[in-house]
Amino acid sequence: LDVYVSGQVDLVRSDILSGVSIESLLLGNSAASLTAHYRTSSTIVVTATEPPIAYRRCPGFLGQADDPERYAGFEPIRLALDGDSGRWAGKNSNGDDVIAVYGAAHGLHAAVYASINREEVLAPVVRQTAYSALAAALASFALFAAAVAAGKRFRSRTTDAEKMVLAASVIDHIVEGIVTTASDGTIRTVNRAFTEITGWKSDEAIGNNPRILKSDRHDDAFYDAMWLALRRDGSWTGEIWNRKRDGTVYPEWLSITAVRNVRGEAVAYVGVFLDLTEIKNRDAAISHLSARDPLTGLPNRALMTDRLVTSIHQAERGAESVGVLYLDVAKFKYINTSYGYAFGDTVLQSIATRLESTLRKGDTVARLAADDFVAILPRLHREEDAMTIADTIIDTIRKPFFIEDHELYLDASVGISYFPANGDDPDALVGAANAALNQAKEAGSGSIRVFTPALNDRILKRLSLESRLRHAVEHESFTVYYQPRVDARTRRVESVEALVRWIGEDGSIIPPGVFIPLAEENGMIVPIGQWVLSRALSDLVSWQTLDPTLRVSVNLSARQFRLPDLVSRVDTALSAAGIEATSLELEITESLAMGDVAKSVTLMTQLNERGISLSLDDFGTGYSSLYYLKRLPIQWLKIDQSFVRDYRAPDDSPANAIVHTIIEMAKSLGLGTIAEGCETEEQLGFLTRRGCDQIQGYYFSRPIPAADCASFIGKQL
């Protein structure tokens, strides 16, 4: 035989092939089929060394001195390069000619060739990339084709030939495109995937130059670097943008390998490429989702922060300002509760569309959460421009929304901060705008506020107060003061109202007006309120030894009133103190009770059924709806102290009409009345003459500690 197969697995080892394992060189069925095809040959040619050595099967040979075990049974034959034929040749001990036509392995790259009339048919063997298996299959196919074309005699079984045909079929059916070219770049072969990806048919591509795929995405320096790598390293791998036959530009991952002959000359190139379009699209979709609000498509906090950083850097270079607008849609939660969250989502999408159309080109609007939006206004030459844009945004939000046969009218508030005046990083600027927004919301819907140093001082004080309040809640640094309620006719103390006080670290008493609004906002009012209820009931236990009919009144905050387990909490406190429910009165504000009348009625009825009485505090300052008032299961109306302070003699003065009306209305509804804020003899006389049932105020007593209350329990004042 004059064609030999390089490498049986039991002979060629990794150390012979410069660190490349035989599994990497002779991959899969294609390599195995070649070995089996030439199993009848008594000679194996290994071309990894220079010069190569042929090993003739010789059972009596004991092996080489350097490694007798490995080469036992094989006679080494030194081969030399034949200058005329360009082939490696030598003679064995019998004088037979040995010709190596299966070719050179160098380092991590290898090539295969077969000699046909001194012309070389080339194919890649191995390159350690994702395409190595494909390249090995291509090498096997090329060697087989070359041998057939030269009219060589093969001793093979039909199954081996079928395996070779299968290898060729695999190459034509894989998803990666494969193209081979001559050394001058002329395309020799392409597979089916090449046509499917590029749109160029094989008969159109063969004979052409790969420049037919060139796009305008890369400059000459890119291609110069590619060819430099091919000449220097024999390979190039990277991402490249090419052009399809229809002109579409697409990304691909391309691996080009130079195929060299035994003299090291590049005689062909093999390119294997994968279309990255779908991968790029998936990456873009993932990137979009990671940087965008999924509901509105607006930038999320991460992307907003990135753009704000960019705007700040641009402003620093141009000595310009950046405006940050924090927008809140007023009472948006009522849309969700009234129409459902799906409807609310549609409204948010409509708001986002309006905001984008309102802002300038280059501005950014992001959705941070729920109905909170932030707009970034880069390159402001005048800070007044941000105010103008904020006005426009509010006007835009106020225009009616027509969604699913509903006509909605919304309003908004805006807080504004500026770089560099209010901060030099995104967190500071957004925080300042949010603080200004809170001030705007306090002023009412449709308001705009700009962050100022005074507002900053207020924020710092608030943060300090909140920190101290949390510490006070953890350590129960509170006490309860009590103010008596007196029967207007007998002047006897009928009940006491529990009023919480915060004891500061220095022992001073902090009034409720300082910390109650903050506690209501951050939720700390719930544990505070529960503690006050338990303490008031505990104090009442000792006082009822002096007056068994004495009752205590405790205020319920808005958060407490909305607790789903409020009734059970009250039951637990009563049980723990051992107090009858009839001794407890709970006070709620008028606005709180009217917020959701149906739920209020249900809850209040449950409390009434236990014997707990209810009073409506601050009556006359809120809704004052007679229809709803009639529905509420209450026992007392508390006249707000502002009406009592307005008393003017004589009794029938118009200034006193509201108090008189409330008392008469309560009587007609079967309710008792309690007047707060009575401070003078004249006010007391007026309230008594008009028939008010109970009176509370400084005229009788200021709120005092529990230890001092025994002085008036069961007595007349």
Side-chain angles (χ1 to χ4, degrees):
L1 294 177
D2 55 0
V3 176
Y4 300 94
V5 179
S6 174
Q8 283 185 336
V9 174
D10 62 351
L11 177 62
V12 180
R13 301 189 181 182
S14 61
D15 54 341
I16 296 178
L17 297 177
S18 304
V20 180
S21 67
I22 186 66
E23 288 82 10
S24 295
L25 277 174
L26 302 176
L27 293 170
N29 294 330
S30 59
S33 67
L34 281 175
T35 301
H37 191 78
Y38 296 105
R39 189 62 60 89
T40 57
S41 173
S42 63
T43 303
I44 299 170
V45 179
V46 179
T47 61
T49 59
E50 294 291 347
I53 300 174
Y55 291 87
R56 173 178 175 270
R57 187 177 298 279
C58 183
F61 185 72
L62 299 179
Q64 297 182 174
D66 59 338
D67 196 346
E69 182 179 353
R70 177 184 300 177
Y71 298 107
F74 289 88
E75 174 192 10
I77 304 169
R78 298 286 177 179
L79 302 181
L81 183 63
D82 186 334
D84 294 331
S85 66
R87 294 179 294 182
W88 295 93
K91 291 182 180 293
N92 63 16
S93 59
N94 296 331
D96 299 324
D97 289 331
V98 177
I99 302 173
V101 297
Y102 184 86
H106 303 285
L108 297 182
H109 301 82
V112 176
Y113 73 92
S115 178
I116 307 174
N117 298 327
R118 300 195 181 189
E119 293 181 1
E120 293 171 325
V121 179
L122 301 122
V125 174
V126 171
R127 186 173 187 279
Q128 289 188 329
T129 67
Y131 309 110
S132 57
L134 305 177
L138 185 59
S140 303
F141 176 69
L143 178 61
F144 176 73
V148 173
K152 306 299 181 180
R153 273 187 314 113
F154 291 96
R155 296 179 183 179
S156 64
R157 296 186 180 133
T158 302
T159 55
D160 294 328
E162 289 174 347
K163 290 178 181 178
M164 298 300 291
V165 173
L166 177 61
S169 177
V170 169
I171 293 171
D172 208 36
H173 286 83
I174 59 176
V175 297
E176 290 85 359
I178 298 177
V179 56
T180 64
T181 73
S183 58
D184 63 358
T186 303
I187 297 176
R188 292 274 186 88
T189 62
V190 297
N191 70 342
R192 183 180 300 177
F194 174 94
T195 298
E196 292 174 348
I197 295 173
T198 68
W200 289 93
K201 297 179 180 179
S202 59
D203 57 347
E204 296 174 324
I206 294 175
N208 236 316
N209 189 285
R211 282 191 294 271
I212 61 175
L213 304 175
K214 184 178 179 181
S215 71
D216 298 327
R217 293 289 185 94
H218 308 290
D219 55 17
D220 292 340
F222 175 86
Y223 294 102
D224 290 343
M226 176 192 293
W227 281 105
L228 176 62
L230 281 171
R231 288 191 293 269
R232 182 187 64 222
D233 306 325
S235 65
W236 180 89
T237 300
E239 183 178 315
I240 187 172
W241 287 81
N242 273 339
R243 189 184 304 277
K244 298 183 180 182
R245 194 178 191 282
D246 63 4
T248 303
V249 176
Y250 70 100
E252 68 179 31
W253 186 259
L254 173 63
S255 177
I256 306 175
T257 300
V259 182
R260 302 182 186 278
N261 60 19
V262 294
R263 293 179 293 277
E265 300 165 341
V267 293
Y269 297 95
V270 178
V272 182
F273 61 93
L274 176 69
D275 188 351
L276 298 178
T277 302
E278 290 188 10
I279 296 175
K280 292 280 188 181
N281 290 340
R282 285 197 297 269
D283 289 345
I286 293 172
S287 177
H288 180 86
L289 290 175
S290 65
R292 298 277 176 171
D293 170 47
L295 176 63
T296 63
L298 296 178
N300 60 13
R301 183 181 294 273
L303 182 55
M304 180 273 296
T305 300
D306 182 70
R307 292 188 178 179
L308 183 50
V309 169
T310 301
S311 299
I312 290 172
H313 291 164
Q314 292 174 342
E316 288 174 335
R317 291 192 295 269
E320 298 169 325
S321 295
V322 178
V324 177
L325 275 58
Y326 207 122
L327 168 74
D328 176 78
V329 180
K331 299 180 180 179
F332 183 80
K333 62 182 179 181
Y334 293 120
I335 293 178
N336 286 331
T337 56
S338 300
Y339 300 100
Y341 286 95
F343 184 88
D345 288 346
T346 303
V347 175
L348 287 173
Q349 291 168 342
S350 300
I351 292 172
T353 300
R354 288 194 183 183
L355 292 176
E356 284 188 302
S357 63
T358 300
L359 297 178
R360 308 168 305 170
K361 183 178 181 181
D363 293 343
T364 295
V365 59
R367 177 174 178 245
L368 301 192
D371 56 333
D372 289 352
F373 297 85
V374 169
I376 301 172
L377 312 178
R379 297 181 174 178
L380 288 177
H381 298 289
R382 299 184 313 151
E383 293 184 350
E384 292 82 357
D385 293 341
M387 292 288 293
T388 301
I389 294 174
D391 278 326
T392 304
I393 288 175
I394 291 177
D395 290 341
T396 299
I397 297 297
R398 283 174 170 171
K399 293 179 180 178
F401 289 82
F402 297 95
I403 299 175
E404 298 180 8
D405 299 327
H406 295 282
E407 183 177 350
L408 301 177
Y409 289 88
L410 303 177
D411 207 341
S413 300
V414 177
I416 304 175
S417 66
Y418 296 101
F419 167 83
N422 305 133
D424 56 5
D425 64 82
D427 287 343
L429 291 171
V430 174
N434 191 22
L437 171 64
N438 290 332
Q439 191 178 47
K441 290 164 67 175
E442 291 177 3
S445 298
S447 300
I448 301 172
R449 291 294 183 270
V450 177
F451 187 82
T452 62
L455 179 58
N456 187 48
D457 292 340
R458 177 182 172 187
I459 293 171
L460 293 177
K461 290 179 180 178
R462 175 188 172 88
L463 292 175
S464 174
L465 179 65
E466 182 171 0
S467 176
R468 292 161 52 205
L469 181 58
R470 290 188 182 279
H471 184 272
V473 171
E474 292 173 0
H475 296 82
E476 295 186 351
S477 301
F478 299 95
T479 188
V480 179
Y481 277 38
Y482 298 91
Q483 188 174 34
R485 286 186 355 201
V486 178
D487 185 286
R489 294 178 297 278
T490 66
R491 302 288 182 92
R492 185 175 182 275
V493 176
E494 295 287 335
S495 64
V496 291
E497 180 179 0
L499 302 167
V500 65
R501 297 293 186 266
W502 174 12
I503 304 175
E505 295 177 357
D506 59 355
S508 62
I509 300 298
I510 302 174
V514 174
F515 68 90
I516 289 296
L518 176 59
E520 182 75 43
E521 181 179 329
N522 60 26
M524 286 188 284
I525 193 65
V526 173
I528 293 174
Q530 192 69 28
W531 181 87
V532 170
L533 176 62
S534 298
R535 177 54 59 89
L537 293 175
S538 176
D539 288 339
L540 182 61
V541 171
S542 61
W543 293 334
Q544 283 192 339
T545 60
L546 302 175
D547 182 0
T549 65
L550 184 69
R551 295 181 299 116
V552 67
S553 175
V554 179
N555 291 277
L556 284 181
S557 71
R559 281 184 179 267
Q560 285 179 286
F561 190 70
R562 298 190 186 101
L563 289 174
D565 61 343
L566 172 63
V567 175
S568 64
R569 285 172 177 259
V570 174
D571 287 342
T572 299
L574 287 169
S575 177
I579 292 291
E580 293 292 333
T582 54
S583 298
L584 175 63
E585 178 183 316
L586 296 177
E587 296 187 18
I588 60 174
T589 63
E590 178 186 6
S591 57
L592 178 59
M594 298 298 184
D596 189 330
V597 176
K599 288 184 178 180
S600 297
V601 169
T602 300
L603 176 59
M604 295 164 75
T605 299
Q606 291 175 346
L607 294 171
N608 276 172
E609 289 172 349
R610 284 160 170 75
I612 300 170
S613 59
L614 300 169
S615 61
L616 200 62
D617 199 7
D618 301 334
F619 185 76
T621 60
Y623 290 88
S624 301
S625 170
L626 299 182
Y627 171 75
Y628 289 125
L629 182 62
K630 184 178 180 180
R631 292 182 57 190
L632 295 176
I634 59 175
Q635 287 71 48
W636 297 91
L637 280 183
K638 294 193 74 173
I639 305 170
D640 188 71
Q641 58 185 334
S642 61
F643 301 129
V644 176
R645 283 198 301 264
D646 287 342
Y647 169 75
R648 297 291 184 273
D651 288 358
D652 58 359
S653 170
N656 308 323
I658 294 179
V659 174
H660 176 71
T661 301
I662 293 174
I663 293 173
E664 292 301 319
M665 178 186 65
K667 289 179 180 179
S668 65
L669 294 174
L671 303 177
T673 52
I674 305 167
E676 296 181 294
C678 179
E679 299 179 356
T680 68
E681 185 72 33
E682 291 77 10
Q683 294 170 350
L684 174 62
F686 167 69
L687 294 170
T688 302
R689 289 190 294 273
R690 291 302 179 186
C692 183
D693 297 297
Q694 292 186 5
I695 300 174
Q696 177 181 350
Y698 283 10
Y699 179 82
F700 294 109
S701 175
R702 291 174 176 270
I704 58 176
D708 299 334
C709 290
S711 61
F712 58 68
I713 299 299
K715 299 179 180 178
Q716 289 182 324
L717 298 181

